[in-house]
Amino acid sequence: MTRQQLTNLTLSLDDSGVYRIALNVPGRPMNVLNESVMAELEQAVNELETRSDVKLVVFKSTKESGFLAGADVEAIEAIESADHAERLMKQGQQLFDRIDHLPMPTLAVLHGPCLGGGLELALACDYRVARDNSSTKIGLPEIKLGLIPGWGGTQRLPKLVGLKESLSMILSGKHLSACDAMKIGLVDRAIQPDQWRDEIVRVIDTLAGGGSLRRKLPGAAALWRLIERIPQVRGHILSLTQKRLAGKSKHYPALTAAIHAIVDGYDAHADGFETERREFCDLIDTPTCRQLLRLFFSRERARNLKTWTPHSLEMIHGDPIRTLGVIGGGAMGAGIAQAAAIRGYAVHVKEVDADAASQGSARIDRLVADYGRHKKFGADQVRELRDRINIGTDFDALADVDCVVEAVVERMQVKQSVLADVEKAVRKSAILATNTSSLSVTEMAASLSRPSQFAGLHFFNPVHRMELVEVVRGDETSDATIAQLVSLVRALGKTPIVTTDSPGFLVNRILFPYLGEAIMMVREGHSIAVIDREMRDFGMPMGPLQLLDHVGLDVALHVARSLGAVMRDVDDVVDVLSPLARRNEIGLKSKRGFYDYRGKKPQPRETAEVVDFIVEPARPERFLTDGLSDIQRRLVYLMMGEAIRCEERRVVEHAWAIDLAMVLGTGFAPHRGGPLAVVDQIGTQTVLDNMERLHAQYGDRFTPPASLQLGAKQ
């Protein structure tokens, strides 16, 4: 055997003619394609193009973390011009084209992430096999950065898996498991972990001996693949896709760009690879791409423990949280328990009595069953997941847990009483946390003898879908406790943002003035449908009034009352919500709120049905051009103003965390980057001038923040 060690690759040729290219990029938790790796790959390809003794080339990773996480995103962000982008895209396309045309068969051996440029490298190979476990993720996520695959992904994937499947993957950025990838023909084998080594040897022997891994698609899939070859069918699929995405495309131009590249890949008179390059280069400097890249790096920073507790790393390595207790099996408690069980934690849920425990158990059963159906689990996998969660009424079951999360009713006295009882039941080293969305963590800690081991852990509903968790530092919370909880949040697959203990913490503090203003607009006679449509046009996933229905108007009423210290005119909001709550018209869960949910589709209600009386609207003003409609301006400026105040008052330590939290916690238009980013895009002087006019029109809730006034003068 001959062997050559480069910085990122190990190249070896064994006596049977198998040439292995093993990736292991130093100093990186996962392999990435950067300039150095690409240069070494080119060196290997140069050699292979001249060899006649090689029977098979195997691309693999020697990092247990995975095959290839894609191109280095830092290098993408550093692209300085369209010419720079053109050079990089052409380099990658040409290299992968040479791999595609090597004179010997090629095999990509995939485990862990195989994403973006990593999948484009695998697509250039003749065969792909993948380890069939939960860590294997195969996909092209570039669309999530406002880009498209630029090294042949839009050209090779449709030819391999068909138009319908490739559109689904490229336009959503979703990743597939090994098993799902095999079903569509993306990989040739999905190998069970316990058979991995032996099966890889058999695959290599088969290919090196001149055999093949090709397998026939199931009948229906094979028939559909044939039907897709009819140009009229392809045209119909593309037309339907473009119509479906029309609303999003104006904010996310990469969607249209991807379709253009895919279409030209099927056109004999066009060069699909050139179209792919051109579209990528046009996208790289769009505002959407730049904001999505910024959010990507913010998310990476938020998930880094050093960001929040730079001096506490040693505090978590010796004694990480491994077992979890949850107090309360309601919607939030059951969701937290399920999220922990999915990540392998043993969870004990404590309920107040047998009846509540029975209801909580049924709720957990439904959550686990729904998750199992979504993940296509077998009965044994569902049972194994459910068995990780125990629910009962006995405090003794909490005696040995590492952390307890309280998720009972949002009343201070109840929470203080429950937490005091929990503290007596657990060992002295255990951490306690409250899932409150608005109550003071510091005040809650007054009932505890170990307040340094207590903090807020605010999950968002529904827990299994929402990525953000606010870790709330009380006045006496220790750095070690914050470090442990940040580490737990990361282990649950979620993104932590550490906040101070201020009313509403971060997200609700910024969000609820916006929601409150929408309620006040309804009171002035504005159409519910129009308000929500305007904010969807701005880029929000749903309008503020529909969001309130999903949150629950009873919950919104409670939060509004708790935000009186920071939210002006809150009594006007309470005046609208209180009668609705008394009539049990509290949104989706009662089938009536701002919308009526009793039919097939939610229907916005007439304003007169929702409010008891209509208030005369304020005299209109003329505003400086900022790209917003009157409705959008009135709602968005409140969020921008409160976001600036959160920065002024150091509700979070890092300003970028404000934008990230609003995107992850509320769906704030990602292509706009967050409320502080919108201030920068409009310009501080224009924002200040318009906010002063809104102040004159609507009153003190539009008072410009001090730092906005200062920034506009500079």
Side-chain angles (χ1 to χ4, degrees):
M1 175 182 284
T2 60
R3 184 181 178 92
Q4 181 183 0
Q5 182 77 48
L6 303 175
T7 302
N8 306 287
L9 308 180
T10 301
L11 312 177
S12 62
L13 176 65
D14 67 19
D15 296 337
S16 61
V18 177
Y19 189 105
R20 290 175 173 82
I21 300 177
L23 290 88
N24 192 341
V25 180
R28 296 276 192 151
M30 291 187 180
N31 290 323
V32 293
L33 288 169
N34 56 27
E35 189 175 349
S36 173
V37 175
M38 296 292 278
E40 291 186 13
L41 279 171
E42 186 170 6
Q43 184 177 331
V45 170
N46 289 341
E47 180 185 350
L48 287 166
E49 287 173 334
T50 65
R51 302 289 294 252
S52 58
D53 55 341
V54 175
K55 296 180 179 179
L56 173 69
V57 179
V58 178
F59 292 88
K60 65 174 188 174
S61 165
T62 54
K63 279 188 190 292
E64 183 52 37
S65 59
F67 179 67
L68 253 173
D72 185 353
V73 181
E74 291 181 2
I76 294 174
E77 199 218 9
I79 292 175
E80 298 169 349
S81 64
D83 288 343
H84 184 194
E86 168 76 16
R87 288 195 304 274
L88 290 176
M89 293 308 103
K90 201 161 193 175
Q91 176 193 17
Q93 283 186 348
Q94 289 175 343
L95 176 58
F96 289 178
D97 187 62
R98 290 170 66 192
I99 292 171
D100 194 359
H101 290 89
L102 283 171
M104 67 289 291
T106 50
L107 168 70
V109 178
L110 314 178
H111 73 279
C114 174
L115 302 171
L119 179 54
E120 289 177 295
L121 170 59
L123 287 169
C125 295
D126 299 309
Y127 303 98
R128 289 151 296 280
V129 297
R131 188 158 67 193
D132 188 17
N133 61 2
S134 60
S135 67
T136 296
K137 297 175 173 62
I138 304 171
L140 295 169
E142 288 87 350
I143 207 84
K144 295 179 179 179
L145 297 178
L147 296 168
I148 65 171
W151 286 339
T154 65
Q155 305 304 297
R156 292 191 176 91
L157 186 66
K159 306 298 191 302
L160 184 64
V161 305
L163 179 61
K164 184 180 176 184
E165 297 292 351
S166 59
L167 283 171
S168 175
M169 288 183 66
I170 292 170
L171 297 178
S172 70
K174 70 178 182 180
H175 54 72
L176 301 180
S177 66
C179 187
D180 287 341
M182 187 175 73
K183 287 177 184 176
I184 66 171
L186 179 52
V187 301
D188 302 288
R189 295 284 188 277
I191 303 170
Q192 291 296 312
D194 58 351
Q195 301 169 9
W196 179 247
R197 292 185 182 278
D198 292 341
E199 190 62 27
I200 290 298
V201 171
R202 281 192 285 271
V203 165
I204 289 173
D205 288 346
T206 297
L207 295 177
S212 173
L213 299 184
R214 292 286 178 252
R215 49 183 286 279
K216 289 185 177 180
L217 289 171
L223 177 61
W224 178 252
R225 194 70 58 81
L226 285 172
I227 292 172
E228 279 190 345
R229 292 179 184 175
I230 302 170
Q232 292 87 341
V233 173
R234 287 203 305 267
H236 182 63
I237 292 171
L238 288 163
S239 176
L240 287 177
T241 302
Q242 287 172 315
K243 286 180 182 177
R244 179 171 57 85
L245 296 174
K248 288 185 175 181
S249 295
K250 64 180 180 179
H251 296 316
Y252 298 95
L255 295 169
T256 302
I259 292 173
H260 287 166
I262 292 169
V263 167
D264 280 4
Y266 283 102
D267 188 343
H269 302 292
D271 183 342
F273 286 94
E274 182 182 344
T275 303
E276 181 185 78
R277 281 199 316 274
R278 183 182 68 249
E279 295 287 359
F280 184 99
C281 295
D282 288 345
L283 290 168
I284 192 67
D285 208 33
T286 59
T288 294
C289 176
R290 288 297 158 186
Q291 292 301 339
L292 293 177
L293 282 169
R294 175 175 163 268
L295 288 169
F296 172 86
F297 290 114
S298 294
R299 184 176 179 274
E300 293 295 297
R301 284 193 291 267
R303 292 179 62 81
N304 186 339
L305 185 61
K306 291 181 181 178
T307 298
W308 308 114
T309 52
H311 306 299
S312 301
L313 286 174
E314 70 282 356
M315 298 177 183
I316 66 154
H317 290 315
D319 192 23
I321 295 169
R322 293 189 176 90
T323 54
L324 199 65
V326 177
I327 308 298
M332 291 304 296
I336 294 166
Q338 181 212 27
I342 288 168
R343 289 287 171 155
Y345 284 85
V347 186
H348 180 79
V349 180
K350 161 74 171 65
E351 261 296 2
V352 65
D353 55 35
D355 184 51
S358 176
Q359 292 180 42
S361 183
R363 194 172 289 113
I364 292 166
D365 288 344
R366 288 193 296 272
L367 285 173
V368 170
D370 288 347
Y371 181 80
R373 278 192 295 273
H374 176 67
K375 291 293 184 179
K376 300 175 185 174
F377 279 0
D380 289 344
Q381 290 173 293
V382 172
R383 193 178 307 111
E384 180 185 354
L385 177 58
R386 180 62 183 85
D387 287 346
R388 291 180 194 143
I389 306 172
N390 177 40
I391 185 166
T393 61
D394 193 353
F395 270 117
D396 291 344
L398 301 175
D400 293 322
V401 299
D402 299 317
C403 176
V404 178
V405 181
E406 166 273 308
V408 301
V409 64
E410 281 280 281
R411 289 205 292 270
M412 179 61 75
Q413 288 183 336
V414 175
K415 286 181 178 289
Q416 285 181 324
S417 175
V418 167
L419 286 164
D421 289 340
V422 172
E423 188 181 45
K424 294 170 188 172
V426 299
R427 59 190 182 190
K428 290 185 177 180
S429 61
I431 291 171
L432 303 187
T434 174
N435 183 52
T436 183
S437 60
S438 58
L439 299 177
S440 168
V441 170
T442 301
E443 184 180 345
M444 222 176 285
S447 67
L448 300 175
S449 62
R450 298 188 293 274
S452 65
Q453 293 168 226
F454 174 67
L457 207 57
H458 178 210
F459 290 83
F460 289 77
N461 195 28
V463 176
H464 66 284
R465 288 185 189 166
M466 299 300 287
E467 180 182 341
L468 181 70
V469 178
E470 290 178 323
V471 181
V472 185
R473 184 192 289 272
D475 288 354
E476 296 187 62
T477 306
S478 70
D479 284 349
T481 296
I482 294 297
Q484 293 274 35
L485 291 176
V486 166
S487 183
L488 171 65
V489 170
R490 292 166 62 219
L492 294 178
K494 299 189 180 296
T495 298
I497 297 289
V498 177
T499 81
T500 59
D501 181 25
S502 61
F505 312 134
L506 179 62
V507 170
N508 281 344
R509 179 168 180 162
I510 297 172
L511 180 67
F512 266 81
Y514 157 78
L515 299 178
E517 196 66 20
I519 292 169
M520 294 169 78
M521 291 172 74
V522 173
R523 199 178 65 145
E524 293 172 11
H526 285 273
S527 160
I528 290 168
V530 171
I531 292 169
D532 279 357
R533 185 178 66 240
E534 288 273 346
M535 290 314 300
R536 287 195 301 272
D537 288 346
F538 175 80
M540 304 297 273
M542 66 174 64
L545 299 166
Q546 191 176 14
L547 176 59
L548 279 161
D549 274 358
H550 281 252
V551 169
L553 303 190
D554 53 338
V555 175
L557 177 60
H558 174 82
V559 174
R561 285 171 171 157
S562 71
L563 290 176
V566 294
M567 185 173 161
R568 293 184 175 93
D569 301 321
V570 74
D571 289 344
D572 294 332
V573 174
V574 170
D575 286 346
V576 175
L577 292 178
S578 294
L580 290 168
R582 282 197 299 272
R583 297 195 298 264
N584 196 37
E585 295 177 358
I586 55 176
L588 184 60
K589 55 191 172 187
S590 69
K591 302 297 184 183
R592 277 168 75 84
F594 289 106
Y595 287 75
D596 192 321
Y597 298 90
R598 293 174 296 181
K600 289 184 179 179
K601 290 179 64 177
Q603 294 296 323
R605 296 172 68 189
E606 294 298 323
T607 305
E609 293 181 60
V610 176
V611 296
D612 294 338
F613 56 91
I614 303 296
V615 183
E616 186 72 24
R619 178 178 56 83
E621 290 272 349
R622 297 185 66 181
F623 294 93
L624 301 183
T625 301
D626 56 10
L628 302 179
S629 70
D630 288 344
I631 288 175
Q632 290 169 347
R633 182 181 303 110
R634 183 170 169 183
L635 292 169
V636 173
Y637 271 57
L638 275 174
M639 281 193 282
M640 293 193 295
E642 202 57 48
I644 293 169
R645 289 187 186 92
C646 285
E647 183 181 6
E648 287 175 351
R649 294 164 191 178
R650 300 294 293 272
V651 173
V652 288
E653 190 174 347
H654 309 285
W656 54 260
I658 296 172
D659 280 347
L660 179 67
M662 289 302 292
V663 171
L664 296 183
T666 73
F668 187 101
H671 72 283
R672 296 183 186 269
L676 294 179
V678 175
V679 175
D680 291 338
Q681 290 154 29
I682 294 173
T684 53
Q685 186 62 59
T686 298
V687 171
L688 175 62
D689 287 352
N690 282 342
M691 192 167 279
E692 286 174 339
R693 296 172 198 209
L694 286 165
H695 177 256
Q697 190 175 11
Y698 296 111
D700 287 347
R701 63 185 181 275
F702 283 97
T703 300
S707 61
L708 179 65
Q709 298 178 56
L710 182 63
K713 291 176 182 177
Q714 291 177 346

